[in-house]
Amino acid sequence: MTAVPSPATGRELSNPPSDGISNLRFSNHSDHLLVSSWDKTVRLYDASDNVLRGEFVHGGPVLDCCFHDDSSGFSVSVDNTVRRLVFNHNKEDILGKHDAPVRCVEYSYAAGQLITGSWDKTLKCWDPRGASGQEHTLVGTYPQPERVYSLSLVGNRLVVATAGRHVNVYDLRNMSQPEQRRESSLKYQTRSVRCYPNGTGYALSSVEGRVAMEFFDPSEASQAKKYAFKCHRKLEAGRDIVYPVNAIAFHPIYGTFATGGCDGFVNVWDGNNKKRLYQYSKYPTSIAALSFSRDGRLLAVASSYTFEEGDKPHEPDAIYVRSVNEIEVKPKPKVYPNPPT
C-alpha cells in the first residue's frame, strides 16, 4: 500500500523506523536513502518507489550512517562499534570499535577512508578495503579536545565540531595535527556542521536558533565575510521562543542550503545573498535530519522528536520525501537600481 501523497509535506515513506531518526542520507548514485535510528536499525529505502530495500539490526541505537557505494554503507552505534553493511547480500561486518558511543561517520572518496567521531573524544580513520580485523583496517586515532558531535567533508578537508564549541579543520592527507583550531562563533552548543559544496568554508548550527557561516581562508578579507544569523524562532506573548537547529543540507546544484529545527520547520537559505528563499509547511514534530538527492530534485525530511523537551507524548517518527521546485532553492539574482540617466 503506497502512502497517500501530501503536497504540503511531501510523500511519507512506508515502514519508517519505530524510534527517533538519527540521520538520513541520499546515495551519490541513485535515489536510495539510508536511514539510521534509535530503534537499533539501519534501513535502506528506494525513495522514488517508496520501497524498503533492506534492514540491519544493531546491538544498540544507531547514531549515524553513510553510503560507501550504491550497494554498501557504514553505520556507527551506541554499542561503540563501526560497521560495514553490504545491502545486496544482507551482510555486515565490524570494522572496529571506539571506547564510547560513536556519534558520526563520513566516507571520504578522495582518501578512500572512513572517518568516525566518538564521545570517547577521538577521531578514527579506517581503510575499509583492508582485510577484516581491526588491526588491518584502523589507519589512525586522533585525540580531540572534547566529545565529537558532528563531522563534515569536502574534498580533502575535514571539519570536526565537538562539545565545548571547539572546531578542528584537518587536511586528510596529513592528519597528524589540525590545519586550523577554531572556536565556534556561536555562544551555545554545536548541533551540526556542513561544508559548502564549493569547498570554501562551512555552516555551523547551534541549539540556540542560530547558524554561523564560516570561511577556511584565514586572510582578513575572507574572515570579514563571515556572519551568523538567527532562525527557527517564534515570538509568543512577547517572548522569543528559540529552537535548536538540528540539521543543515546543501543543495548540490545551487549551493543554497536547508535548515531543520525543533520548531518543525524547514527553511531554505541563500547564504551568499543573506536571504531566506523558502519556508516549507510545518512538519508534525522536530526536524531531526535533512538530505538532498544527488541531483537536488528530492529533499528527504526526518520528522522525528529529538527529546529537547524531555520524554513526552509526540507524533510518530516519519520520513517525508518531497519534490524540490527550482523556485524554492535557486538563488534570486540581485536587482540593482537603474543608474540615473
Side-chain angles (χ1 to χ4, degrees):
M1 185 180 132
T2 55
V4 179
S6 159
T9 51
R11 188 186 59 203
E12 190 173 345
L13 289 187
S14 311
N15 302 303
S18 59
D19 201 348
I21 296 163
S22 53
N23 204 6
L24 46 72
R25 303 208 203 201
F26 272 109
S27 163
N28 285 339
H29 306 282
S30 69
D31 289 342
H32 285 170
L33 185 70
L34 200 60
V35 179
S36 54
S37 167
W38 283 80
D39 71 0
K40 304 183 184 178
T41 68
V42 176
R43 292 162 197 246
L44 177 71
Y45 297 89
D46 184 324
S48 302
D49 294 344
N50 195 358
V51 175
L52 179 63
R53 292 254 179 246
E55 185 177 0
F56 292 86
V57 181
H58 291 3
V62 189
L63 298 184
D64 200 4
C65 60
C66 69
F67 279 95
H68 181 204
D69 51 36
D70 217 31
S71 59
S72 65
F74 303 100
S75 62
V76 294
S77 169
V78 165
D79 68 6
N80 304 1
T81 57
V82 180
R83 286 178 170 84
R84 173 173 37 198
L85 314 170
V86 183
F87 311 132
N88 43 3
H89 297 131
N90 208 27
K91 186 172 137 285
E92 62 176 272
D93 53 33
I94 292 178
L95 279 186
K97 286 198 158 197
H98 278 264
D99 296 331
V102 194
R103 177 64 188 88
C104 20
V105 60
E106 293 284 341
Y107 181 73
S108 166
Y109 294 91
Q113 286 183 11
L114 189 72
I115 298 107
T116 55
S118 166
W119 293 341
D120 68 5
K121 305 183 185 178
T122 69
L123 271 186
K124 291 192 178 198
C125 291
W126 314 84
D127 183 349
R129 299 163 296 193
S132 47
Q134 185 165 338
E135 65 283 359
H136 296 297
T137 54
L138 183 62
V139 176
T141 301
Y142 309 100
Q144 297 304 300
E146 249 292 359
R147 288 154 293 161
V148 178
Y149 282 164
S150 189
L151 295 178
S152 187
L153 283 170
V154 61
N156 282 302
R157 273 233 166 83
L158 168 69
V159 180
V160 185
T162 75
R165 299 171 43 252
H166 300 282
V167 179
N168 279 344
V169 181
Y170 285 91
D171 183 329
L172 284 174
R173 295 162 298 190
N174 176 19
M175 290 292 294
S176 56
Q177 59 182 24
E179 199 176 45
Q180 298 178 21
R181 288 185 174 88
R182 295 185 173 199
E183 189 177 78
S184 165
S185 53
L186 305 181
K187 281 192 286 205
Y188 294 87
Q189 179 184 308
T190 303
R191 201 59 135 188
S192 178
V193 66
R194 287 291 172 266
C195 293
Y196 307 156
N198 68 7
T200 59
Y202 58 90
L204 179 145
S205 71
S206 80
V207 297
E208 189 255 345
R210 271 176 219 263
V211 172
M213 307 300 288
E214 302 278 352
F215 295 88
F216 293 129
D217 181 350
S219 74
E220 217 170 297
S222 279
Q223 291 306 307
K225 292 191 293 188
K226 74 178 196 174
Y227 67 96
F229 63 94
K230 296 177 182 178
C231 50
H232 299 281
R233 294 160 176 250
K234 72 174 178 191
L235 208 56
E236 209 171 72
R239 285 180 62 227
D240 205 12
I241 312 288
V242 180
Y243 297 92
V245 184
N246 297 321
I248 303 169
F250 278 89
H251 191 273
I253 311 298
Y254 294 121
T256 52
F257 62 98
T259 57
C262 287
D263 56 353
F265 281 107
V266 176
N267 294 313
V268 182
W269 309 90
D270 175 352
N272 290 335
N273 294 317
K274 303 185 181 179
K275 279 195 169 67
R276 183 166 77 180
L277 293 174
Y278 207 80
Q279 181 175 71
Y280 292 115
S281 302
K282 192 174 181 185
Y283 283 86
T285 184
S286 311
I287 307 302
L290 295 169
S291 181
F292 282 105
S293 60
R294 70 202 187 288
D295 53 11
R297 286 184 310 103
L298 300 175
L299 175 63
V301 179
S303 170
S304 180
Y305 179 55
T306 54
F307 289 81
E308 66 278 0
E309 292 174 7
D311 203 353
K312 65 172 194 180
H314 54 87
E315 294 292 325
D317 303 288
I319 300 161
Y320 295 91
V321 176
R322 60 179 316 131
S323 295
V324 176
N325 192 323
E326 200 172 68
I327 197 168
E328 300 159 1
V329 291
K330 189 175 181 178
K332 294 177 174 59
K334 276 187 172 167
V335 179
Y336 295 100
N338 291 327
T341 48

mmCIF file of all heavy atoms in Angstrom, residues 38-53:
data_model
loop_
_atom_site.group_PDB
_atom_site.id
_atom_site.type_symbol
_atom_site.label_atom_id
_atom_site.label_comp_id
_atom_site.label_asym_id
_atom_site.label_seq_id
_atom_site.Cartn_x
_atom_site.Cartn_y
_atom_site.Cartn_z
ATOM 1 N N TRP A 38 17.317 5.298 16.470
ATOM 2 C CA TRP A 38 17.429 4.834 17.856
ATOM 3 C C TRP A 38 16.732 3.486 18.068
ATOM 4 O O TRP A 38 16.888 2.879 19.128
ATOM 5 C CB TRP A 38 16.855 5.889 18.806
ATOM 6 C CG TRP A 38 17.786 7.041 18.998
ATOM 7 C CD1 TRP A 38 17.978 8.095 18.157
ATOM 8 C CD2 TRP A 38 18.691 7.237 20.093
ATOM 9 N NE1 TRP A 38 18.943 8.942 18.652
ATOM 10 C CE2 TRP A 38 19.397 8.452 19.844
ATOM 11 C CE3 TRP A 38 18.974 6.525 21.262
ATOM 12 C CZ2 TRP A 38 20.363 8.946 20.712
ATOM 13 C CZ3 TRP A 38 19.931 7.034 22.126
ATOM 14 C CH2 TRP A 38 20.614 8.227 21.858
ATOM 15 N N ASP A 39 15.972 3.011 17.068
ATOM 16 C CA ASP A 39 15.342 1.689 17.218
ATOM 17 C C ASP A 39 16.327 0.560 16.880
ATOM 18 O O ASP A 39 15.926 -0.585 16.702
ATOM 19 C CB ASP A 39 14.063 1.579 16.374
ATOM 20 C CG ASP A 39 14.322 1.518 14.872
ATOM 21 O OD1 ASP A 39 15.501 1.563 14.458
ATOM 22 O OD2 ASP A 39 13.344 1.418 14.106
ATOM 23 N N LYS A 40 17.634 0.897 16.788
ATOM 24 C CA LYS A 40 18.744 -0.044 16.555
ATOM 25 C C LYS A 40 18.828 -0.524 15.115
ATOM 26 O O LYS A 40 19.491 -1.521 14.827
ATOM 27 C CB LYS A 40 18.661 -1.262 17.509
ATOM 28 C CG LYS A 40 18.616 -0.899 18.983
ATOM 29 C CD LYS A 40 18.610 -2.142 19.863
ATOM 30 C CE LYS A 40 18.474 -1.767 21.332
ATOM 31 N NZ LYS A 40 18.421 -2.944 22.199
ATOM 32 N N THR A 41 18.135 0.169 14.190
ATOM 33 C CA THR A 41 18.184 -0.287 12.798
ATOM 34 C C THR A 41 18.870 0.724 11.887
ATOM 35 O O THR A 41 18.930 1.914 12.175
ATOM 36 C CB THR A 41 16.774 -0.520 12.206
ATOM 37 O OG1 THR A 41 16.105 0.754 12.081
ATOM 38 C CG2 THR A 41 15.952 -1.463 13.041
ATOM 39 N N VAL A 42 19.362 0.177 10.768
ATOM 40 C CA VAL A 42 19.706 0.975 9.589
ATOM 41 C C VAL A 42 18.823 0.447 8.474
ATOM 42 O O VAL A 42 18.769 -0.769 8.239
ATOM 43 C CB VAL A 42 21.189 0.828 9.205
ATOM 44 C CG1 VAL A 42 21.487 1.586 7.911
ATOM 45 C CG2 VAL A 42 22.085 1.336 10.318
ATOM 46 N N ARG A 43 18.105 1.347 7.803
ATOM 47 C CA ARG A 43 17.187 0.938 6.738
ATOM 48 C C ARG A 43 17.618 1.564 5.424
ATOM 49 O O ARG A 43 18.041 2.716 5.393
ATOM 50 C CB ARG A 43 15.752 1.389 7.054
ATOM 51 C CG ARG A 43 15.145 0.652 8.232
ATOM 52 C CD ARG A 43 13.943 1.401 8.788
ATOM 53 N NE ARG A 43 13.627 0.912 10.108
ATOM 54 C CZ ARG A 43 12.512 0.249 10.430
ATOM 55 N NH1 ARG A 43 11.581 0.043 9.520
ATOM 56 N NH2 ARG A 43 12.320 -0.191 11.653
ATOM 57 N N LEU A 44 17.448 0.792 4.358
ATOM 58 C CA LEU A 44 17.728 1.279 3.008
ATOM 59 C C LEU A 44 16.414 1.341 2.244
ATOM 60 O O LEU A 44 15.708 0.340 2.120
ATOM 61 C CB LEU A 44 18.697 0.338 2.297
ATOM 62 C CG LEU A 44 19.011 0.699 0.847
ATOM 63 C CD1 LEU A 44 19.874 1.953 0.776
ATOM 64 C CD2 LEU A 44 19.706 -0.461 0.123
ATOM 65 N N TYR A 45 16.072 2.539 1.772
ATOM 66 C CA TYR A 45 14.841 2.737 1.007
ATOM 67 C C TYR A 45 15.171 3.114 -0.434
ATOM 68 O O TYR A 45 16.213 3.743 -0.683
ATOM 69 C CB TYR A 45 14.011 3.902 1.584
ATOM 70 C CG TYR A 45 13.514 3.709 2.992
ATOM 71 C CD1 TYR A 45 14.289 4.113 4.082
ATOM 72 C CD2 TYR A 45 12.259 3.161 3.245
ATOM 73 C CE1 TYR A 45 13.827 3.962 5.383
ATOM 74 C CE2 TYR A 45 11.786 3.016 4.545
ATOM 75 C CZ TYR A 45 12.577 3.414 5.610
ATOM 76 O OH TYR A 45 12.114 3.269 6.897
ATOM 77 N N ASP A 46 14.279 2.772 -1.333
ATOM 78 C CA ASP A 46 14.260 3.416 -2.636
ATOM 79 C C ASP A 46 13.243 4.544 -2.508
ATOM 80 O O ASP A 46 12.035 4.295 -2.452
ATOM 81 C CB ASP A 46 13.860 2.420 -3.735
ATOM 82 C CG ASP A 46 13.927 3.053 -5.109
ATOM 83 O OD1 ASP A 46 13.596 4.254 -5.234
ATOM 84 O OD2 ASP A 46 14.293 2.358 -6.072
ATOM 85 N N ALA A 47 13.740 5.772 -2.432
ATOM 86 C CA ALA A 47 12.855 6.896 -2.114
ATOM 87 C C ALA A 47 11.886 7.198 -3.252
ATOM 88 O O ALA A 47 10.773 7.671 -3.012
ATOM 89 C CB ALA A 47 13.688 8.134 -1.791
ATOM 90 N N SER A 48 12.290 6.932 -4.501
ATOM 91 C CA SER A 48 11.404 7.211 -5.639
ATOM 92 C C SER A 48 10.221 6.242 -5.657
ATOM 93 O O SER A 48 9.088 6.638 -5.920
ATOM 94 C CB SER A 48 12.154 7.077 -6.962
ATOM 95 O OG SER A 48 13.235 7.950 -6.977
ATOM 96 N N ASP A 49 10.509 4.959 -5.369
ATOM 97 C CA ASP A 49 9.455 3.935 -5.451
ATOM 98 C C ASP A 49 8.775 3.675 -4.111
ATOM 99 O O ASP A 49 7.859 2.856 -4.036
ATOM 100 C CB ASP A 49 10.043 2.613 -5.984
ATOM 101 C CG ASP A 49 10.519 2.748 -7.422
ATOM 102 O OD1 ASP A 49 10.121 3.741 -8.076
ATOM 103 O OD2 ASP A 49 11.291 1.896 -7.879
ATOM 104 N N ASN A 50 9.255 4.348 -3.042
ATOM 105 C CA ASN A 50 8.701 4.140 -1.703
ATOM 106 C C ASN A 50 8.734 2.669 -1.304
ATOM 107 O O ASN A 50 7.731 2.071 -0.920
ATOM 108 C CB ASN A 50 7.267 4.685 -1.620
ATOM 109 C CG ASN A 50 6.791 4.815 -0.179
ATOM 110 O OD1 ASN A 50 7.511 4.463 0.763
ATOM 111 N ND2 ASN A 50 5.584 5.297 0.002
ATOM 112 N N VAL A 51 9.943 2.076 -1.419
ATOM 113 C CA VAL A 51 10.121 0.656 -1.082
ATOM 114 C C VAL A 51 11.266 0.529 -0.081
ATOM 115 O O VAL A 51 12.313 1.155 -0.242
ATOM 116 C CB VAL A 51 10.468 -0.165 -2.359
ATOM 117 C CG1 VAL A 51 10.778 -1.613 -1.992
ATOM 118 C CG2 VAL A 51 9.338 -0.098 -3.364
ATOM 119 N N LEU A 52 11.039 -0.282 0.976
ATOM 120 C CA LEU A 52 12.109 -0.605 1.923
ATOM 121 C C LEU A 52 12.922 -1.737 1.307
ATOM 122 O O LEU A 52 12.426 -2.845 1.118
ATOM 123 C CB LEU A 52 11.505 -1.038 3.270
ATOM 124 C CG LEU A 52 12.495 -1.443 4.366
ATOM 125 C CD1 LEU A 52 13.390 -0.282 4.760
ATOM 126 C CD2 LEU A 52 11.756 -1.975 5.592
ATOM 127 N N ARG A 53 14.187 -1.466 0.973
ATOM 128 C CA ARG A 53 15.017 -2.452 0.254
ATOM 129 C C ARG A 53 15.797 -3.360 1.206
ATOM 130 O O ARG A 53 16.201 -4.453 0.821
ATOM 131 C CB ARG A 53 16.008 -1.732 -0.644
ATOM 132 C CG ARG A 53 15.366 -1.008 -1.799
ATOM 133 C CD ARG A 53 15.603 -1.741 -3.103
ATOM 134 N NE ARG A 53 14.951 -1.053 -4.209
ATOM 135 C CZ ARG A 53 13.949 -1.548 -4.908
ATOM 136 N NH1 ARG A 53 13.464 -2.726 -4.621
ATOM 137 N NH2 ARG A 53 13.426 -0.879 -5.913
#
